[in-house]
Amino acid sequence: MNFQIWNVIYSKLFGPNQTEPTGGNADQADVVRVCTTSMRFKRRKHPVLFQTHVTTWAKFSSAQSPKAPAGPQDVSSPVVGIIEALDLRRDWIPSLSLSLICCECRVFGKCFHPKSKMGREREPQKQPLSFTVEQLVAVNPYNPDILPDLENYVNEQVSSQTYSLDANLCLLRLYQFEPERMSTQIVARILVKALMAMPAPDFSLCLFLIPERVQMEEQFKTLIVLSHYLETARFRQFWDEAAKSRHIVEVVPGFEQAIQAYAIHVLSLTYQKVPRPALAEAINIEGLSLDKFLEHQVATSGWILEKGHGRGQLIVLPRNEFNHPELKKNTADSIPLEHITRIFPILG
Amino acid sequence: MAASFDYEDTPTTYDDQALANRNPQDLGYDPNFVPDSVKSFVVHLYRHIREKNVYEIHQMYETSFQTLSDRMFKDSPWPSVDAVAQYVDNDHVFCLLYREMWFRHLYARLSPTLRQRIDSWDNYCSLFQVVLHGVVNMQLPNQWLWDMVDEFVYQFQSFCQYRAKMKNKTEQEIALLRQFDQAWNVYGVLNFLQALVEKSMIIHILEQEKEGLEQFTSTDGYDYDGGSNVLKVLGYFSMVGLLRVHCLLGDYHTGLKCLLPIDITQQGVYTSVIGSHITTIYHYGFANLMLRRYVEAIREFNKILLYIYKTKQYHQKSPQYEQILKKNEQMYALLAICLSLCPQVKLVEETVNSQLREKYGEKMIRMQRYDDEAFALYDELFSYACPKFITPSAPSYEEPLVNYNQDAYRLQLKLFLYEVKQQQLLSGVRTFLKVYSTISLGKLATYMEVDEPTLRTILMTYKHKTHAVDKDGKIISNADVDFYIDDDMVHVVESKSTKRYGDYFLRQIVKLEGVMNDMDRIKLD
C-alpha cells in the first residue's frame, strides 16, 4: 500500500491542512489500520462486516472531526470523500477504487461514483441555485436524497400555480420506497393538484402509488369522492361536496378555475349548443356572474349566445372535431410511403 | 474477457460456505463434482467467448445448456463455480457469467433459499459493476443479454414477494433479512438499470441512428468492428427492464416514459428476441390499459398476438416456450378487457378475433352486462393477466408478523374495478346510440330509465371516458360510436369502418407477382 493514498484520505477526513486530528486521539496509523481492515473484509467477501466497519468508521471519523456534520444521515459523506480521493488515483489503483465504489453502491443502495450522474446529487447542496428541480428529477430519478427538494417543490407548485406531474410522481415513488418518510399533507396537495389536471388521468396515476391504508384517511376519502364525481361528470354533486371540504381544496389557489376549465372541456366534447342551466350547473356560476362570465367567453373564446325555443338561452360552443365529427381528418385512405416501396421492384 | 480486471488476491469462495461444507449425502448431490460433459461445456463456452464466436456461444447457451440441464440437473443445481473455475483459468468475468446461469437454473428448477437469493444479488452487483466500468470486451448473444436483464428483474420481483410473506419466516431468516437489507433493495435495482442505460449512451445512439450517423438496429446491436456489444445492448434492454419494474410498482406513466427512446411501431433490437418482444408489448399494453388509452393497447396486443400466432411453432423447442404461451393467454385476457371497455373490434385482425371469441367470447358478452357477475369477470380476468405487483419497501419486523404480499395487487385491482364501475352505464348508452341516428334526450332518458339531468351526466361521462389524453397532452378519441348534442337532441355519428383497401391491394399485388414468377419458372416440354 502506498502511504500517500492514506495521506489523501486522511486530509479528506480531517480537513485539508491538518496533519493531526483536532479532537480525539486518532492518528494516521489508526486510519490506515481502519482502512486496510475494511478493505480486507471486502476482499474476503464479507459484505456485512465490511458494511458495519465502514459505518462505524465513518461515524467514528465524523465524531472525531469537528468540521464534519454529525448525525446518522451523514455517514456517507466521509466515505464519499474517500472515494473521491481514491478516484484521483484511479490510474494506479483501479481495482482498489473500483471495489470500494462497488461496495458503496451496495451499502447505501445508490451509486456514489463521482463521475456517474448519480453522484451529482451532492452538487446542489453546494450550489443550491444551479439545478432546477425538474433537472434534479431527470438526473436522479431514483435518489432518496432529493426527497426534501421535491417536497418543497410541491409547495412551490401550489403557491406559484404551476404543475409538474413527473416531479410529483417521483416524490410519491420515494414515499412508496420509504413509507416512514411520507408526509400526508404533501400527498394531499399532490392529489388536489392532480384533480386540477383533469381530464388527464393524473389523479389515478397518483392513487396507484399511494398505499391503501393511507387512502383510508378522511381527507383522502374526500378527495377520492371528488374525483369520482368529476370522472362521472356529476358536477352538481362535485360542487356541493367541494363546498363542504373547503379546508382541503382552498389551500390550493386556482382550484375552482381549473375545475371549471375541465367542465368546459367535457361540455365542448359533448355539445354543439348547451342550454344555460346545464352550463351553470357544470361550472357552478349563476345569475349575474354567469352573464359576466359569458360576456368574457364571447369576447375571448368565440362563444355565441342564442335564444332557445322560448325556454331560455343556448350557448354555442366553439367547433372542434369532437362536437363536429365532420371536422375529423380522415387518415384511413392514405398509405404511408414505406408500404408503397414494397411494390417498387414490381412496378419497375 | 477482462484482462485488465484486477483479480482478487485472496482465493474467493463463491458459493455459500455452508453449502460447500455440507456432506454431499445430505444434499443428494455433490456440488463440487464436475462431470466430463460439464467440463467440456465450460471449456468450450469459455473458448468461444474469448474468440468472440457469437454463433457458437448462442448455440451452447440456448441448446447445450438446456440439454445438459435436462439430462443431468433436472432437480439439482449445476456444479459450483469453485469446482469449474479451474477449467477456465479462474477467469473472473467468466465465473460471474457462469454463476449468473447457475442461479437462473436454480430459480427455474428448484426453490432458492434466502441465502441463495442474497448471493445471486451479490453476483449481479459484481457482474454489472464489471460491465459498467467498461472492462469487458466480449460479444454476447442478444438472447443471453436479454435473459440477464429479464432474470434480474424477475429475481427482484420474486424477492419482494418472498420477503412480503412475513408470517412464516423463521428467526434465522428474519435475522438474515435484517442483516442484508441492501440485497435486492429497490433503489439498488433501479439505479443499476438506470446506470446501464446512461453508461451505455444508448439513448444517444438511438438518436444518432435516426439521423443515419450510427448503426445499432441494422446490426441487431452487435459490433462488427471488434468492440463489445455487452454494455450497449444491456443498456438497451434495461429500458424494457425499467418499464417492467415501474409496472410492478404501479407507476405506469414513468414506465412508458422509460420506453420512449424505443420506437415500438417499428422493428428493433427488442423484436430480435421473442422474450423481449413479448415483455415489452405486454407491459406497454398493460400500462396503456391502466391509463385508459384502450385503442393504443388494443392495437399493440393485436399485433403481437398475431405475431405469436404465426411464429409460435418455431419456438416449440425453446426453453421460453411455456412462458410465451402463458403471456399469450394473458394478453388475450387483457385484450378481452380492453374490448369490453372500448368495443373497437374492427382494430383486431380476423385470426386474433376468432381466437379471442373462442377463449373469451362468452365471458365478453357477460362483461357487457355490468351486474355483479360482470364485475366478478373483470376481477377474474384482471387478476389472471396482471403483472405480479410488488411492495418495494422493507417489512416491519415488529410482532405480530403479517403477510403483505397481496397488498400491491389488491390496490391495483381495486382501482381498476373502480374505473370499470365508473364506466358501468356506458354500455347501455352505446346500445341505444347504435340504433338511432337522432334521438331526443327526453326519449333516451325514458328508454334508459333515468331522469334527464342524469342522462346528461351519463352522456358527458361517455365523452370523457372515450377521450383519452395522449403522451403529448393531445385529446384522442377511443369512441366506436360518437355523438353530439344540439340543445336537447342527440345526433349519432357511427364511425364508419374504414377498410384499408390500399394495404389489401398492395398485398395482393405482391402475391400475384409471386404467382406469376412461379409460373414463369415452370418449363413446359
Side-chain angles (χ1 to χ4, degrees):
Chain A
M1 292 282 173
N2 192 314
F3 206 68
Q4 273 181 320
I5 312 168
W6 305 119
N7 269 334
V8 177
I9 296 175
Y10 194 74
S11 68
K12 282 275 172 193
L13 278 176
F14 300 115
N17 300 318
Q18 296 194 0
T19 43
E20 285 198 358
T22 37
N25 44 15
D27 60 11
Q28 267 178 323
D30 269 337
V31 178
V32 173
R33 188 174 46 76
V34 172
C35 290
T36 40
T37 317
S38 42
M39 286 305 229
R40 210 166 50 236
F41 286 146
K42 158 64 187 150
R43 291 182 158 230
R44 294 245 168 98
K45 297 240 168 192
H46 287 307
V48 185
L49 282 180
F50 172 77
Q51 182 186 339
T52 10
H53 204 255
V54 168
T55 318
T56 350
W57 169 33
K59 271 189 194 143
F60 162 77
S61 62
S62 48
Q64 291 291 319
S65 162
K67 282 183 184 164
Q73 73 273 29
D74 296 310
V75 162
S76 59
S77 62
V79 182
V80 173
I82 291 162
I83 293 164
E84 271 178 353
L86 288 173
D87 200 59
L88 296 174
R89 274 146 188 82
R90 262 166 80 78
D91 40 348
W92 37 282
I93 43 159
S95 69
L96 184 69
S97 82
L98 187 69
S99 48
L100 243 183
I101 294 164
C102 301
C103 308
E104 267 11 275
C105 297
R106 216 166 320 166
V107 172
F108 295 101
K110 56 191 165 184
C111 188
F112 279 115
H113 192 289
K115 296 261 167 62
S116 96
K117 283 189 171 172
M118 279 163 272
R120 283 191 209 155
E121 76 203 69
R122 284 167 288 115
E123 286 168 31
Q125 286 168 8
K126 286 180 212 153
Q127 319 152 282
L129 294 173
S130 63
F131 279 92
T132 67
V133 180
E134 301 276 342
Q135 281 169 322
L136 265 187
V137 174
V139 172
N140 305 275
Y142 315 114
N143 184 342
D145 295 351
I146 64 171
L147 190 135
D149 295 299
L150 290 172
E151 288 184 331
N152 291 334
Y153 192 50
V154 172
N155 291 328
E156 196 188 312
Q157 290 172 48
V158 168
S159 58
S160 63
Q161 301 206 28
T162 52
Y163 182 60
S164 165
L165 174 66
D166 285 331
N168 295 351
L169 285 180
C170 184
L171 178 57
L172 289 176
R173 177 163 68 224
L174 297 178
Y175 285 155
Q176 190 190 23
F177 297 169
E178 296 171 86
E180 63 281 0
R181 293 175 81 183
M182 178 186 286
S183 149
T184 46
Q185 192 206 16
I186 295 283
V187 175
R189 290 184 174 185
I190 292 178
L191 285 176
V192 176
K193 280 300 230 182
L195 270 190
M196 291 163 64
M198 295 273 289
D202 298 11
F203 191 82
S204 332
L205 292 182
C206 294
L207 282 192
F208 287 138
L209 298 177
I210 301 170
E212 204 171 355
R213 60 182 160 72
V214 178
Q215 294 187 20
M216 293 303 186
E217 277 180 37
E218 216 41 62
Q219 54 174 342
F220 297 122
K221 274 198 209 155
T222 310
L223 285 169
I224 290 169
V225 168
L226 286 176
S227 141
H228 180 70
Y229 288 147
L230 288 181
E231 286 286 339
T232 51
R234 279 182 265 179
F235 292 107
R236 168 161 298 157
Q237 280 116 310
F238 171 83
W239 292 113
D240 289 350
E241 188 64 35
K244 278 187 253 159
S245 334
R246 284 176 196 282
H247 59 289
I248 304 173
V249 294
E250 272 186 1
V251 190
V252 182
F255 181 77
E256 216 175 80
Q257 291 87 323
I259 303 301
Q260 284 164 347
Y262 164 68
I264 290 169
H265 158 82
V266 180
L267 286 172
S268 41
L269 289 182
T270 316
Y271 290 93
Q272 286 184 352
K273 294 176 189 171
V274 56
R276 182 178 163 118
L279 174 72
E281 184 185 303
I283 59 176
N284 200 31
I285 307 180
E286 276 164 342
L288 280 178
S289 334
L290 182 57
D291 288 333
K292 235 176 162 176
F293 178 84
L294 287 174
E295 207 176 291
H296 180 73
Q297 294 293 333
V298 169
T300 58
S301 309
W303 291 20
I304 301 164
L305 306 183
E306 247 180 36
K307 200 111 188 80
H309 319 297
R311 288 176 296 118
Q313 214 170 21
L314 275 181
I315 294 105
V316 186
L317 294 171
R319 293 152 65 94
N320 60 51
E321 62 174 283
F322 308 110
N323 62 14
H324 282 262
E326 73 275 8
L327 294 177
K328 206 183 317 190
K329 268 179 257 143
N330 199 347
T331 48
D333 291 338
S334 56
I335 303 168
L337 182 67
E338 54 264 40
H339 289 186
I340 304 276
T341 51
R342 285 201 311 237
I343 61 164
F344 276 0
I346 302 169
L347 296 174
Chain B
M1 299 285 265
S4 64
F5 191 84
D6 198 340
Y7 202 66
E8 306 281 332
D9 53 5
T10 44
T12 352
T13 320
Y14 279 101
D15 270 306
D16 185 9
Q17 203 66 45
L19 187 73
N21 291 346
R22 225 181 295 166
N23 205 336
Q25 272 88 42
D26 299 344
L27 289 164
Y29 63 91
D30 179 359
N32 293 316
F33 172 68
V34 185
D36 282 347
S37 48
V38 172
K39 192 173 133 190
S40 127
F41 174 80
V42 291
V43 167
H44 281 96
L45 184 60
Y46 179 53
R47 202 184 73 211
H48 292 316
I49 291 178
R50 271 196 322 189
E51 289 169 358
K52 296 192 188 179
N53 188 338
V54 181
Y55 178 78
E56 286 296 335
I57 301 172
H58 189 252
Q59 290 302 313
M60 296 202 66
Y61 173 80
E62 269 287 270
T63 317
S64 319
F65 188 74
Q66 289 313 320
T67 322
L68 281 175
S69 296
D70 283 340
R71 217 173 58 208
M72 312 180 62
F73 308 106
K74 251 199 151 71
D75 35 37
S76 65
W78 274 60
S80 77
V81 72
D82 289 334
V84 300
Q86 51 174 313
Y87 305 113
V88 293
D89 307 337
N90 284 310
D91 187 283
H92 182 62
V93 177
F94 185 87
C95 287
L96 292 174
L97 290 173
Y98 177 83
R99 213 163 174 242
E100 200 266 339
M101 290 167 75
W102 189 91
F103 278 116
R104 190 131 39 93
H105 170 262
L106 179 90
Y107 268 78
R109 309 225 173 193
L110 308 151
S111 45
T113 64
L114 176 54
R115 191 78 219 194
Q116 284 164 334
R117 290 172 190 270
I118 295 167
D119 287 344
S120 177
W121 162 254
D122 262 3
N123 192 59
Y124 273 115
C125 288
S126 314
L127 182 62
F128 288 157
Q129 289 297 341
V130 171
V131 174
L132 281 171
H133 287 87
V135 282
V136 288
N137 57 7
M138 304 172 284
Q139 187 99 259
L140 293 181
N142 285 348
Q143 175 74 52
W144 194 349
L145 294 169
W146 161 253
D147 287 346
M148 269 183 217
V149 175
D150 190 45
E151 183 72 12
F152 180 65
V153 177
Y154 166 73
Q155 290 191 12
F156 165 61
Q157 170 203 308
S158 160
F159 183 85
C160 288
Q161 298 286 352
Y162 163 85
R163 183 177 57 184
K165 288 179 200 147
M166 286 298 284
K167 237 177 173 169
N168 302 320
K169 291 270 178 293
T170 62
E171 262 174 52
Q172 202 187 1
E173 280 175 310
I174 289 175
L176 268 180
L177 276 175
R178 280 172 184 264
Q179 199 177 8
F180 294 95
D181 61 344
Q182 292 304 319
W184 297 110
N185 177 293
V186 62
Y187 287 118
V189 170
L190 284 167
N191 277 325
F192 264 128
L193 293 171
Q194 177 76 7
L196 286 167
V197 173
E198 286 183 3
K199 266 266 157 100
S200 64
M201 309 271 291
I202 185 65
I203 296 178
H204 180 70
I205 292 174
L206 291 173
E207 283 294 318
Q208 293 275 80
E209 191 183 42
K210 272 186 213 149
E211 288 159 38
L213 300 169
E214 190 125 19
Q215 285 196 323
F216 182 74
T217 312
S218 55
T219 61
D220 267 349
Y222 293 109
D223 192 320
Y224 295 117
D225 302 322
S228 166
N229 69 334
V230 174
L231 179 58
K232 262 194 295 184
V233 177
L234 275 181
Y236 181 90
F237 286 137
S238 291
M239 293 192 280
V240 181
L242 281 172
L243 165 70
R244 180 165 164 207
V245 175
H246 281 297
C247 282
L248 293 176
L249 295 169
D251 192 350
Y252 311 108
H253 172 84
T254 312
L256 289 178
K257 232 178 118 187
C258 293
L259 194 71
L260 267 185
I262 301 179
D263 180 3
I264 61 149
T265 62
Q266 304 283 321
Q267 299 246 314
V269 174
Y270 78 101
T271 54
S272 69
V273 178
I274 178 93
S276 126
H277 192 179
I278 291 177
T279 303
T280 309
I281 301 301
Y282 167 80
H283 290 96
Y284 178 85
F286 186 80
N288 273 297
L289 163 64
M290 296 305 268
L291 286 171
R292 283 206 322 255
R293 297 177 195 152
Y294 303 117
V295 166
E296 188 61 24
I298 292 171
R299 237 183 233 129
E300 291 307 323
F301 282 141
N302 171 55
K303 268 198 277 179
I304 186 94
L305 289 170
L306 187 65
Y307 177 79
I308 297 174
Y309 181 81
K310 285 183 178 163
T311 57
K312 205 160 55 177
Q313 76 232 43
Y314 306 117
H315 296 284
Q316 260 165 10
K317 287 210 177 102
S318 147
Q320 286 91 30
Y321 189 60
E322 251 171 64
Q323 197 51 36
I324 294 173
L325 290 187
K326 180 163 182 219
K327 278 275 166 290
N328 186 55
E329 292 304 308
Q330 286 183 322
M331 285 192 287
Y332 272 110
L334 291 177
L335 185 61
I337 291 178
C338 288
L339 286 171
S340 302
L341 293 171
C342 170
Q344 294 265 32
V345 187
K346 63 172 186 284
L347 293 174
V348 181
E349 187 84 15
E350 203 35 58
T351 4
V352 177
N353 197 23
S354 65
Q355 292 275 310
L356 180 71
R357 297 291 144 194
E358 202 175 289
K359 292 175 204 284
Y360 291 110
E362 190 246 348
K363 280 186 180 164
M364 283 173 76
I365 292 167
R366 283 191 284 153
M367 280 159 85
Q368 289 298 320
R369 287 211 296 255
Y370 286 91
D371 47 13
D372 283 347
E373 197 203 351
F375 283 115
L377 282 171
Y378 274 104
D379 184 329
E380 180 195 317
L381 262 59
F382 183 88
S383 305
Y384 166 68
C386 69
K388 283 223 172 331
F389 299 110
I390 51 171
T391 305
S393 54
S396 143
Y397 296 107
E398 267 151 50
E399 298 283 349
L401 297 171
V402 282
N403 285 353
Y404 61 98
N405 55 320
Q406 295 278 314
D407 288 8
Y409 151 72
R410 267 199 298 259
L411 174 64
Q412 304 299 318
L413 174 67
K414 182 177 140 187
L415 292 172
F416 168 75
L417 288 178
Y418 208 66
E419 179 66 47
V420 173
K421 235 172 209 151
Q422 287 178 352
Q423 303 198 23
Q424 66 178 326
L425 295 170
L426 303 190
S427 75
V429 181
R430 215 170 249 128
T431 325
F432 287 111
L433 291 181
K434 272 189 182 148
V435 290
Y436 288 93
S437 57
T438 51
I439 182 170
S440 74
L441 282 173
K443 210 160 137 195
L444 186 54
T446 325
Y447 289 155
M448 289 191 64
E449 297 167 8
V450 291
D451 58 17
E452 213 183 291
T454 311
L455 177 65
R456 284 184 193 272
T457 67
I458 295 174
L459 289 171
M460 282 195 282
T461 308
Y462 181 90
K463 279 284 192 173
H464 169 58
K465 295 291 188 191
T466 52
H467 290 74
V469 183
D470 75 359
K471 60 177 189 290
D472 307 316
K474 240 183 79 214
I475 305 292
I476 38 167
S477 169
N478 288 331
D480 49 329
V481 190
D482 214 343
F483 67 89
Y484 59 87
I485 308 175
D486 183 358
D487 192 4
D488 49 14
M489 201 52 126
V490 185
H491 299 259
V492 183
V493 195
E494 178 131 23
S495 62
K496 274 175 231 100
S497 61
T498 40
K499 221 172 166 30
R500 297 199 130 197
Y501 294 111
D503 213 38
Y504 178 78
F505 280 125
L506 279 178
R507 252 181 296 141
Q508 294 305 320
I509 290 171
V510 176
K511 229 183 196 166
L512 178 67
E513 183 70 12
V515 173
M516 275 163 33
N517 282 340
D518 286 345
M519 281 165 60
D520 281 346
R521 239 176 276 136
I522 298 170
K523 289 210 173 69
L524 294 173
D525 295 318

